[in-house]
Amino acid sequence: MRGNVQYKRPYGWNRIALRVAGKYDNGDDKWLGNNNEAWAVSYHGTAKHNAKSISEDGYLLSRGRRFAYGYGIYSTPNMHIAEQYAQAFEYQGNSYVIVFQNRVNPVSLKRFPVGGGEYWVSEKEDHIRPYGICIKRR
């Protein structure tokens, strides 16, 4: 459990941790824990060319294009749904996809049911924080 939501590990993916300890809230990392103060885990599929800016700057609403369920940053607790939004890229003759692993503030989170899962919409950029990059060969 993370933030009172069941956490499903990204099995079958190579995960790279981002250095986020002490980066937010004046160094208070309670959002990263595994207790009731922790934020829930979500996933966000993207293109390779977005990985650097999301890793360094987080999610920027000004770069959003589609807001089918309202204005905000979209993610999901379901890796399989997030993978559908990841754009494949080629490296050394193999095809790969990138999905970010995030923590989401449950206080402002809006949830929308979709095809056997949920979309989560965070209306504030600082209420969704990337903390890992998951990569998988297709």
Side-chain angles (χ1 to χ4, degrees):
M1 299 296 285
R2 302 291 186 270
N4 292 321
V5 176
Q6 183 180 8
Y7 167 52
K8 296 181 181 176
R9 294 183 189 275
Y11 291 111
W13 293 75
N14 290 319
R15 186 182 174 282
I16 301 166
L18 297 176
R19 187 178 304 225
V20 295
K23 183 175 180 178
Y24 302 99
D25 298 333
N26 299 321
D28 180 358
D29 292 330
K30 291 179 182 177
W31 63 277
L32 267 176
N34 58 9
N35 56 28
N36 290 341
E37 293 181 25
W39 290 6
V41 174
S42 75
Y43 300 98
H44 177 90
T46 192
K48 176 185 166 191
H49 68 271
N50 295 327
K52 186 175 193 291
S53 67
I54 293 172
S55 297
E56 293 175 353
D57 304 324
Y59 295 99
L60 303 174
L61 279 167
S62 61
R63 295 188 180 176
R65 292 189 190 102
R66 296 177 283 178
F67 299 107
Y69 294 90
Y71 190 68
I73 306 297
Y74 286 60
S75 65
T76 176
N78 186 319
M79 175 61 95
H80 300 295
I81 292 174
E83 183 178 359
Q84 295 173 19
Y85 292 90
Q87 295 177 14
F89 66 94
E90 298 291 321
Y91 179 74
Q92 295 184 350
N94 294 305
S95 181
Y96 295 88
V97 288
I98 293 176
V99 172
F100 274 86
Q101 188 176 35
N102 314 289
R103 290 297 184 104
V104 181
N105 188 337
V107 171
S108 62
L109 188 62
K110 293 185 177 180
R111 299 174 181 207
F112 298 94
V114 290
E118 286 185 324
Y119 288 152
W120 290 358
V121 180
S122 300
E123 293 179 324
K124 297 179 181 181
E125 295 171 345
D126 62 342
H127 284 203
I128 180 168
R129 300 174 179 173
Y131 77 107
I133 301 174
C134 300
I135 301 173
K136 182 170 101 172
R137 188 167 85 175
R138 281 202 164 161

